[in-house]
Amino acid sequence: MPLSTLRSHDDTWDIRTSVGATAVMVAAARAVETEQPAPLIRDPYAKLLVSNANAGVLWEAMLDEQVVAKMADLDAETAATVQHMRSYQAVRTNFFDNYFADAVAGGIRQVVILASGLDSRAYRLDWPAGTTVYEIDQPQVLAYKAATLSESGASPSAERREVPIDLRQDWPAALRTAGFDPAARTAWLAEGLLMYLPADAQDRLFTHIGELSPVGSRIAVETAGNHAHVRRQEMRERFKKVAETLGLEETVDVQELIYHDPSRANVADWLNEHGWRATAQNAGDEMRRVGRWVDGVPMADDKDAFSEFVTAERL
Ligand SMILES: C[S@@+](CC[C@H](N)C(=O)[O-])C[C@H]1O[C@@H](n2cnc3c(N)ncnc32)[C@H](O)[C@@H]1O
């Protein structure tokens, strides 16, 4: 099976291209959730960050309930999959918001958001005084977010420090240069990232994090789900057909950007073997637990298709 046809070991992007545009996709889901009558999370910056990005009509269409309703007329399973994806993003955001709330309640004041994309937690969460949030992502992605939010008059609710570097390069050095204190307990987050890294880069990432994490540090990770290849292909074809019928141009094919790498380590196992105490929550179970499961999706019976939300503490 090809790992990825569009990727290379040193590829770069901005907010509209390649992996950068996936940040717009998940921000669109947060924007939709924020406008629900009883939202699980509130991200008041997501909509602006999506509409300003000009990353393609498809992501903006995802904000539009009428488009999703039209999709349902054409292909009910595809529309349910879109609803499921939006609900999933809300559940995932909620899970990791709670993780950070626990971490700061436990006295941690240093936070590192890996591949932060259009994550606006440094602006929207209620951080205690003295908290520093480091955001690592490719330079143009971070620059887009900071410029857009600053032009809108938003300001961070913590000390926010950008670390504009690719996570396949020497990011620990860049993080230290930005002021990171390796002796201080840290809360790390890797959300929406691992699927865009090859298996060996994933291992290296966690090795570096371990080296920078004193006892009592924490980490939260969204793992890469493992959809059966055939099913993934089939759903992709159906989605493309529906999008084409509705005149929505798909600028980025997310599946082509992902490293579907069968040798990828199980994150909870890896952490448990490398100095952390980790537990994993299946994302489908978490969706059900918070009452946000969406019926009618084709992968419902395939537990492996779902990612896990892993949390761990450094021993
Ligand atoms: C799906 S988005 C998730 C963004 C954010 N974590 C969130 O949940 O809203 C993927 C992000 O990973 C970043 N990314 C992927 N691979 C990266 C790498 N090798 N170095 C730096 N950033 C990377 C992309 O730029 C993009 O912002």
Side-chain angles (χ1 to χ4, degrees):
M1 195 196 308
L3 291 183
S4 170
T5 47
L6 294 182
R7 304 293 311 279
S8 62
H9 72 281
D10 59 354
D11 49 351
T12 60
W13 49 79
D14 60 19
I15 197 62
R16 299 164 57 168
T17 53
S18 181
V19 189
T22 67
V24 182
M25 172 180 75
V26 294
R30 288 194 291 267
V32 171
E33 180 67 19
T34 302
E35 291 182 355
Q36 297 305 306
L40 197 54
I41 56 110
R42 282 195 178 81
D43 183 344
Y45 306 108
K47 193 169 188 173
L48 171 70
L49 288 167
V50 172
S51 47
N52 238 32
N54 291 319
V57 286
L58 184 60
W59 304 143
E60 288 186 48
M62 292 296 149
L63 298 172
D64 188 340
E65 294 303 336
Q66 285 179 343
V67 172
V68 181
K70 279 188 204 154
M71 275 187 179
D73 291 340
L74 292 168
D75 181 341
E77 270 191 352
T78 294
T81 303
V82 170
Q83 292 285 20
H84 199 273
M85 179 278 210
R86 303 202 304 195
S87 191
Y88 170 79
Q89 297 297 340
V91 171
R92 147 181 144 176
T93 305
N94 179 56
F95 186 92
F96 294 123
D97 281 2
N98 290 339
Y99 157 76
F100 278 131
D102 283 351
V104 296
I108 292 180
R109 296 289 180 269
Q110 183 163 260
V111 167
V112 180
I113 304 181
L114 303 153
S116 56
L118 301 181
D119 180 332
S120 68
R121 288 190 178 94
Y123 296 77
R124 70 179 175 80
L125 293 188
D126 189 14
W127 301 103
T131 306
T132 305
V133 178
Y134 294 89
E135 295 194 23
I136 309 181
D137 206 303
Q138 287 221 357
Q140 295 186 74
V141 172
L142 287 178
Y144 165 72
K145 178 168 67 181
T148 304
L149 292 182
S150 140
E151 277 160 28
S152 80
S155 51
S157 49
E159 165 81 20
R160 174 180 178 270
R161 296 200 189 151
E162 293 189 353
V163 186
I165 190 166
D166 192 288
L167 286 158
R168 296 161 294 184
Q169 296 172 5
D170 188 3
W171 62 266
L175 185 60
R176 284 169 183 255
T177 303
F180 174 86
D181 177 2
R185 290 189 301 141
T186 297
W188 303 85
L189 175 64
E191 180 189 28
L193 167 63
L194 296 190
M195 54 293 273
Y196 304 111
L197 294 177
D200 58 341
Q202 172 177 315
D203 292 351
R204 270 198 304 280
L205 182 85
F206 289 129
T207 300
H208 287 316
I209 292 172
E211 288 163 0
L212 294 169
S213 296
V215 173
S217 294
R218 302 186 193 188
I219 185 167
V221 181
E222 179 201 25
T223 69
N226 189 19
H227 284 269
H229 184 60
V230 176
R231 203 164 253 192
R232 207 168 57 224
Q233 284 293 112
E234 184 204 313
M235 284 314 294
R236 207 165 109 203
E237 291 310 317
R238 282 169 66 176
F239 182 80
K240 274 192 171 156
K241 207 167 143 198
V242 170
E244 265 167 35
T245 311
L246 293 176
L248 305 171
E249 185 202 351
E250 197 185 13
T251 42
V252 171
D253 187 338
V254 177
Q255 288 299 331
E256 288 294 315
L257 301 170
I258 291 176
Y259 288 93
H260 297 288
D261 194 336
S263 68
R264 194 182 287 286
N266 174 289
V267 175
D269 291 348
W270 194 99
L271 291 171
N272 278 322
E273 287 159 13
H274 292 82
W276 300 82
R277 184 174 42 236
T279 53
Q281 167 74 326
N282 178 275
D285 292 344
E286 179 66 7
M287 291 177 80
R288 289 190 171 93
R289 191 184 74 79
V290 298
R292 296 303 301 271
W293 179 260
V294 176
D295 283 325
V297 284
M299 75 278 200
D301 56 342
D302 179 7
K303 216 165 170 138
D304 286 347
F306 288 90
S307 58
E308 289 180 330
F309 303 146
V310 175
T311 46
E313 181 166 339
R314 189 75 170 152
L315 301 174

